[in-house]
Amino acid sequence: MKLTAVHGDAVVVTSRLWQTNAIALRAGGETMLIDSPYFPDELELLPGVLGQAGFEIDALLATHADFDHVLGRLAFPDLSLGVAESTMLRIRAEPGAAQRELRDADAEFYVERFSPLALGQVQSLPVPGKLELGDHELELHPSEGHTGDGMSVFDPASGVLCPGDYLSGVEIPTLSPGGSVDLYRGTLARLAGLVERAEAVVPGHGTPHGRESALRLVDEDLAYLDALERGEQRPQLPEGRDTRRQREIHADNLRATAR
Ligand SMILES: [Zn+2]
C-alpha cells in the first residue's frame, strides 16, 4: 500500500491489488474517503496511515458498486457509505453481489479475511448533484458505461477529479455487465469537460494524472471504443496498456458487445 499526496488537500492510498486507489479529500476540517484498498492488512492499517498524514475520515463514498471499491467499511465500520442513486439501485437489485465477488477474489488470490463484508448503512445521493465537504461543494456526475451505475466526484475548489473506473493508465475501457459502449462514450465526453477544469485526476486504478495526460487518455479510450465497435480482434492498444491481461479484457469486451 502506497500513500501519495496529490494536488490540493488530498492523498491517495494505492492498494497492491490492481493499483486500486482510495482517495482522502479534506476541506474545512472534514475528510471524505472515496473507494478503498483491497487486502485485509491494507484495510487494517488504513485509519492509522491516513491519521498519521492528518486525514481523519468522517465519511465514505464509493464511485460504483464493484466489490473492489466498496470495502471502506471494513476499515471504518462506524461510517455509512454514500453512493450514487444508480449504485443504490444496483445494490438493491443484486443483494450480496459485492460479498460474493469479494469471496471469489479472495479465493483466487488465496486471501484470508476474518471480517465479512457488510455494506451497513448505505446512503443514496442524487446524481447529478452536489455534496458538501467542509467549506467545499463537491460535484457528483453520472459515470456509466464501465458498469450500469456510478458517479465521478469532482472538487472544483481544489481541482481534484475522481472518475472511478475511467481514465486509467493501466486498464483499457472495461465493459462489465450493465455497461455499454454508448454509455461509456457519454461518460468520456462528460469527463473531458471536467478534466479541462481539473488539476489532478485520480482514477480508480493506476497513477494519478495531470490535465494533459488525462485528456490524452480520453482520446485513447475513445479510439479504443471505436476499434471495439468495429469488432477488431487485435486492435492497437495504447502505450503502457498493451499487456496480456488487457488483451484478455479486450476479448471479454468483444463478447460483451456481441451480445
Ligand atoms: Zn475497479
Side-chain angles (χ1 to χ4, degrees):
M1 187 164 71
K2 191 176 76 177
L3 184 85
T4 319
V6 287
H7 183 87
D9 214 357
V11 289
V12 180
V13 173
T14 306
S15 173
R16 304 194 299 281
L17 182 73
W18 303 329
Q19 297 185 38
T20 305
N21 289 324
I23 306 102
L25 268 183
R26 184 170 59 185
E30 239 190 296
T31 306
M32 192 166 267
L33 184 72
I34 304 167
D35 291 348
S36 57
Y38 163 76
F39 286 106
D41 62 319
E42 297 176 325
L43 289 158
E44 195 183 322
L45 290 171
L46 190 62
V49 166
L50 288 172
Q52 255 170 20
F55 290 76
E56 300 284 348
I57 304 302
D58 302 296
L60 303 173
L61 286 186
T63 54
H64 60 299
D66 282 357
F67 79 92
D68 53 326
H69 297 261
V70 296
L71 306 180
R73 278 191 88 252
L74 290 173
F76 300 97
D78 299 333
L79 301 181
S80 67
L81 179 69
V83 299
E85 277 164 348
S86 58
T87 295
M88 182 64 123
L89 289 174
R90 180 176 156 197
I91 291 170
R92 289 219 178 107
E94 316 168 342
Q99 285 86 347
R100 274 194 303 279
E101 286 166 15
L102 178 63
R103 275 200 304 274
D104 289 348
D106 288 347
E108 185 177 342
F109 303 122
Y110 304 171
V111 166
E112 277 190 298
R113 196 178 298 270
F114 299 105
S115 36
L117 174 64
L119 292 181
Q121 204 188 335
V122 183
Q123 211 182 336
S124 173
L125 303 167
V127 177
K130 304 261 167 97
L131 183 64
E132 250 172 56
L133 176 68
D135 52 357
H136 289 196
E137 195 170 55
L138 308 182
E139 298 177 10
L140 307 178
H141 296 272
S143 298
E144 292 143 9
H146 161 53
T147 56
D149 70 303
M151 63 177 172
S152 294
V153 182
F154 181 49
D155 180 8
S158 69
V160 175
L161 171 63
C162 304
D165 279 358
Y166 301 88
L167 305 182
S168 168
V170 294
E171 198 169 72
I172 60 169
T174 303
L175 300 187
S176 299
S180 79
V181 170
D182 286 347
L183 285 170
Y184 208 112
R185 279 208 188 94
T187 292
L188 286 177
R190 212 171 298 121
L191 287 173
L194 294 174
V195 169
E196 297 282 1
R197 299 160 56 205
E199 301 293 335
V201 179
V202 187
H205 303 275
T207 312
H209 320 289
R211 191 181 303 134
E212 294 311 312
S213 65
L215 287 173
R216 179 176 47 79
L217 287 166
V218 170
D219 289 341
E220 288 177 356
D221 288 353
L222 286 170
Y224 170 75
L225 293 176
D226 290 345
L228 174 63
E229 220 168 31
R230 288 192 297 268
E232 286 184 28
Q233 298 294 315
R234 284 203 62 84
Q236 199 182 347
L237 295 184
E239 209 192 313
R241 292 190 274 173
D242 191 357
T243 63
R244 200 176 124 181
R245 175 68 194 133
Q246 300 311 302
R247 292 275 163 199
E248 287 169 6
I249 291 175
H250 176 60
D252 291 342
N253 285 343
L254 282 174
R255 278 189 287 277
T257 48
R259 276 199 291 269

